Amino acid sequence: MIRSAASPGGVASRLRTPPPSDYDLASRRPGQALREKIRADCPSLIQRSLAWALRRPENASWRTGLRGERIVSRELARLRRHGWRTLHSIPLSPTWDIDHLLIGPGGVFSINTKHHRGKTVWVGDHVARINHGEGRPYPRSSRREAAVVKKVLDRGCRFAVEVKPVLVFVKPAKLTVQPSLQDVRAIENRELSALSVLTGVLSPEQVDAVYAVARDQRSWTSAV
């Protein structure tokens, strides 16, 4: 039987063959966008070591972010045995990427990683505060990323894909989330394992279809 192009199975079957290697985002490593920034800023090993020793602000921030994305990627890897798939560092523009995309029976989650080890984190509806400092627009950014992902997946899959934004804080001393924050999930990295038991949102065929679209870099052309 020939399936319609709009059906999940039809999309999955059309895209079952992996994209050419130049466009296959499944090969991207966690934090790859940050790695590329570090290499561009300090192309040689000696330069990178010197920048690290001098604690250059941009370089130190990128390295901290990279360590955080690596930690989160290890947590996400444990979900594979439960039928989940992950992509890392999906490029949207030269200065913007999706840290992690989690796809599985419980749906699709756009994950924004923030590494604030040993610090107090408060998250409200629109901003987060680190050690009671100035508000940072983490929740707003996470909503925006999820909206971009949904647009891309809806277009590529030809069926509606709900995308939920997740803010993951790596090893904070304390995380407090305002109860009114309902549309963005704000959690510590060790709480990612709780997502593994979620089911009933996507069928296996739909998981295949969403992953096939998401892993092809050409799907993200003109996403923003």
Side-chain angles (χ1 to χ4, degrees):
M1 180 178 70
I2 299 176
R3 298 177 184 266
S4 67
S7 72
V11 175
S13 62
R14 287 189 297 106
L15 301 175
R16 197 177 301 278
T17 302
S21 58
D22 289 347
Y23 298 101
D24 192 354
L25 298 179
S27 64
R28 284 180 71 82
R29 300 163 65 190
Q32 184 158 333
L34 291 171
R35 297 173 198 269
E36 292 168 358
K37 286 182 179 180
I38 293 169
R39 289 195 186 98
D41 190 54
C42 304
S44 72
L45 178 60
I46 293 176
Q47 287 175 310
R48 291 197 292 274
S49 300
L50 181 61
W52 175 253
L54 296 176
R55 295 295 192 271
R56 287 175 51 181
E58 297 88 352
N59 196 280
S61 176
W62 293 336
R63 288 181 180 277
T64 298
L66 177 57
R67 287 196 297 273
E69 292 189 35
R70 285 172 172 167
I71 290 170
V72 168
S73 72
R74 290 196 289 270
E75 298 281 357
L76 294 174
R78 298 189 178 99
L79 274 62
R80 291 175 187 163
R81 64 179 179 269
H82 300 286
W84 293 83
R85 304 187 186 189
T86 55
L87 294 167
H88 306 286
S89 195
I90 297 174
L92 301 179
S93 76
T95 58
W96 186 18
D97 73 324
I98 303 294
D99 293 340
H100 316 275
L101 192 63
L102 180 65
I103 304 164
V108 179
F109 296 89
S110 175
I111 298 175
N112 191 352
T113 295
K114 300 299 179 185
H115 192 181
H116 296 294
R117 182 170 186 165
K119 298 181 180 180
T120 298
V121 178
W122 176 91
V123 187
D125 291 344
H126 303 292
V127 299
R129 299 186 188 277
I130 312 303
N131 285 347
H132 309 288
E134 184 178 350
R136 307 186 187 192
Y138 292 166
R140 293 199 297 267
S141 298
S142 293
R143 291 186 188 100
R144 184 184 176 203
E145 290 184 359
V148 171
V149 174
K150 176 174 175 54
K151 181 178 72 172
V152 169
L153 297 181
D154 283 354
R155 180 180 61 197
C157 295
R158 301 184 190 175
F159 60 88
V161 181
E162 193 67 31
V163 179
K164 297 181 180 179
V166 181
L167 265 172
V168 178
F169 293 93
V170 177
K171 299 183 177 180
K174 181 181 180 181
L175 174 62
T176 302
V177 181
Q178 191 77 4
S180 58
L181 182 64
Q182 298 292 323
D183 61 331
V184 178
R185 187 187 295 247
I187 59 177
E188 298 183 31
N189 58 288
R190 60 188 178 185
E191 296 178 276
L192 282 166
S193 60
L195 299 179
S196 66
V197 300
L198 300 179
T199 59
V201 177
L202 295 178
S203 68
E205 281 191 333
Q206 288 174 318
V207 171
D208 287 344
V210 172
Y211 182 71
V213 170
R215 74 183 292 186
D216 192 331
Q217 186 171 349
R218 295 167 294 186
S219 299
W220 302 91
T221 301
S222 303
V224 294

